[in-house]
């Protein structure tokens, strides 16, 4: 299952710019844009989803995995997973209070099964080790708008997502609508509520409520709750280095061809996981950030189902024990001025 990309702390700075008519106005606009870019960069330090480019790798430690077919336990083995993902956000157009973005992502997943035992036989039988490589390509086009409603700032967006593991066809298409009301914003506290409407043939829940709470305590400690995405404590050591501790949602999607095993030719392999750990990030240059995190990786669900079915109509599910993980990342703060027009 694809991770749901919702910005629960809206950037109301993406409002209409001032039209430059004179050299003085142009200079003023340049100063305003510079200030806005600096402020958006600060937001992106706290909210990685706002960064323009992200590349990361998850090393998920070996764990004991149990496989059920049609809800009957059939296989047991050791599972090792390595994931690499790249995400790019490209602003295409901006006018007044509107921004159109193109988001592209790529993920590669390497899975290795070892010490496998078939459990549906009278006597457990060893099965050959197996290596699996998957590649998933995604693109989304989104329209975002900022305004006010009922006296409250509101951020809305509409996004069309396409995913595939092929070079000549789209295997999954979905649409997402997002709205967020900012209830409070001060120098130390921000509260926002809203929801995400999902039109996705594989999902059973068409609506997800979202809640965002940010608070800066005396000193440099911050509490960030973005439900259902994450709940973390953030501590900045200086303007170039900080750490976060808490829980974040992780997920993956891949497309498999299982026809050699008399199973659906086009299968959605979807996982939903939790990362409990600590992350350290450091600014290497003006826009580049390096990060490393480690902790405990917990699989909430891991399912295989036909791409034309819902996720609860799965025919294979995996239960994995908790295991350590290590994540390394390289990301870039926003650098395209179209983000603020």
């Amino acid at each position: 299952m694809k991770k749901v990309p919702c910005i629960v702390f809206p950037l109301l700075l993406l409002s209409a710019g001032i039209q430059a008519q004179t050299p003085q106005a142009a200079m003023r606009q340049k100063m305003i844009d510079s200030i806005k870019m600096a402020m958006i960069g600060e937001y992106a330090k706290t909210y990685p989803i706002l960064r323009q480019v992200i590349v990361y790798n998850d090393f998920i430690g070996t764990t004991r995995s149990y496989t059920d077919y049609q809800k009957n336990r059939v296989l047991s083995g050791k599972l090792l997973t390595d994931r690499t993902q790249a995400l790019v956000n490209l602003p295409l157009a901006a006018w007044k209070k509107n921004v159109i973005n193109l988001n592209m992502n790529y993920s590669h997943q390497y899975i290795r099964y070892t010490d496998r035992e078939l459990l549906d036989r009278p006597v457990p039988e060893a099965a050959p080790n197996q290596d699996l490589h998957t590649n998933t390509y995604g693109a989304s086009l989104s329209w975002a708008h900022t305004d006010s409603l009922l006296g409250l700032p509101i951020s809305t967006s509409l996004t069309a997502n396409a995913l595939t593991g092929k070079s000549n066809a789209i295997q999954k298409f979905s649409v997402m609508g997002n709205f967020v009301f900012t209830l409070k914003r001060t120098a130390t506290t921000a509260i926002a509520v809203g929801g995400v409407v999902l039109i996705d043939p594989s999902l059973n829940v068409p609506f997800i409520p979202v809640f965002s709470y940010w608070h800066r305590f005396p000193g440099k400690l911050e509490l960030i709750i973005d439900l259902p995405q994450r709940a973390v404590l953030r501590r900045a050591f200086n303007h170039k280095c900080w750490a976060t501790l808490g829980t974040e949602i992780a997920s993956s999607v891949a497309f498999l061809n299982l026809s050699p095993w008399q199973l659906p030719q086009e299968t959605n392999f979807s996982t939903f996981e939790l990362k409990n750990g600590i992350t350290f990030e450091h600014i290497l240059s003006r826009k580049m950030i390096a990060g490393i995190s480690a902790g405990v990786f917990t699989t909430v669900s891991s399912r295989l189902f036909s791409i034309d079915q819902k996720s609860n109509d799965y025919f294979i599910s995996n239960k994995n024990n908790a295991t350590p993980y290590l994540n390394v990342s390289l990301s870039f703060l926003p650098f395209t001025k179209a983000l603020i027009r």
Side-chain angles (χ1 to χ4, degrees):
M1 184 177 70
K2 187 180 177 183
K3 182 178 178 179
V4 178
C6 57
I7 300 175
V8 294
F9 189 73
L11 287 181
L12 300 177
L13 297 171
L14 306 182
S15 55
I18 300 174
Q19 297 296 323
Q21 301 294 335
T22 66
Q24 293 80 5
M27 180 63 69
R28 183 185 179 204
Q29 183 62 55
K30 185 176 180 180
M31 293 176 61
I32 292 173
D33 287 352
S34 297
I35 294 172
K36 287 182 177 180
M37 284 298 294
M39 295 181 69
I40 292 173
E42 289 301 312
Y43 279 122
K45 292 178 183 179
T46 305
Y47 297 88
I49 195 171
L50 298 176
R51 298 175 191 176
Q52 203 147 15
V53 179
I54 303 175
V55 180
Y56 66 86
N57 197 99
D58 279 318
F59 303 94
I60 304 170
T62 301
T63 183
R64 174 61 62 175
S65 178
Y66 304 91
T67 299
D68 294 350
Y69 175 70
Q70 301 294 6
K71 300 184 179 181
N72 294 314
R73 184 64 47 85
V74 297
L75 185 67
S76 172
K78 292 182 179 179
L79 175 68
L80 173 68
T81 306
D82 185 279
R83 294 177 185 161
T84 302
Q85 188 162 357
L87 304 97
V88 180
N89 174 29
L90 299 175
L92 299 181
W95 69 100
K96 295 184 178 180
K97 300 179 182 181
N98 304 278
V99 179
I100 294 180
N101 290 326
L102 173 65
N103 297 276
M104 297 179 293
N105 63 81
Y106 164 77
S107 63
H108 174 267
Q109 188 168 209
Y110 167 69
I111 300 174
R112 180 170 176 78
Y113 288 100
T114 59
D115 299 337
R116 300 196 304 162
E117 292 184 346
L118 301 175
L119 305 179
D120 62 342
R121 308 289 179 84
V123 177
E125 178 181 339
N129 295 336
Q130 184 179 34
D131 292 348
L132 175 66
H133 291 268
T134 67
N135 295 287
T136 305
Y137 309 89
S140 64
L141 188 66
S142 65
W143 164 77
H145 178 76
T146 58
D147 213 323
S148 62
L149 182 64
L150 303 176
L152 295 173
I154 181 174
S155 174
T156 58
S157 67
L158 184 65
T159 304
N161 301 289
L163 283 174
T164 187
K166 296 181 174 182
S167 60
N168 59 353
I170 294 175
Q171 294 181 282
K172 181 179 180 180
F173 182 80
S174 62
V175 177
M176 179 182 69
N178 179 20
F179 67 92
V180 177
F181 287 94
T182 300
L183 303 181
K184 178 180 180 179
R185 176 178 293 178
T186 68
T188 58
T189 304
I191 302 174
V193 296
V196 180
V197 178
L198 298 164
I199 303 176
D200 187 326
S202 67
L203 298 182
N204 303 292
V205 181
F207 177 80
I208 300 175
V210 297
F211 171 77
S212 177
Y213 177 78
W214 168 83
H215 181 74
R216 175 181 287 129
F217 298 96
K220 297 182 179 181
L221 185 64
E222 300 171 64
L223 173 63
I224 305 168
I225 300 176
D226 293 332
L227 300 179
Q229 187 179 359
R230 62 174 182 164
V232 298
L233 286 170
R234 181 177 183 269
R235 174 67 162 82
F237 303 108
N238 52 56
H239 71 285
K240 287 189 174 183
C241 185
W242 59 90
T244 56
L245 173 67
T247 300
E248 298 188 23
I249 288 177
S251 63
S252 70
V253 61
F255 301 98
L256 307 179
N257 182 350
L258 303 181
S259 57
W261 293 274
Q262 298 181 342
L263 294 171
Q265 181 176 358
E266 293 189 334
T267 298
N268 188 325
F269 176 30
S270 175
T271 65
F272 180 76
E273 302 123 350
L274 296 177
K275 288 181 176 179
N276 299 280
I278 187 169
T279 301
F280 293 94
E281 291 189 298
H282 182 77
I283 295 182
L284 299 179
S285 63
R286 185 166 172 264
K287 295 292 184 179
M288 185 184 299
I289 300 175
I292 184 169
S293 62
V296 178
F297 191 91
T298 304
T299 301
V300 179
S301 69
S302 174
R303 297 175 175 180
L304 280 77
F305 52 94
S306 177
I307 62 170
D308 57 357
Q309 300 292 324
K310 292 187 177 297
S311 59
N312 62 344
D313 294 326
Y314 61 91
F315 53 86
I316 289 179
S317 65
N318 302 297
K319 293 180 173 59
N320 305 329
N321 293 341
T323 187
Y325 79 91
L326 176 68
N327 173 284
V328 293
S329 66
L330 187 67
S331 58
F332 294 84
L333 297 174
F335 50 81
T336 302
K337 289 186 178 181
L339 286 166
I340 63 175
R341 294 296 180 184

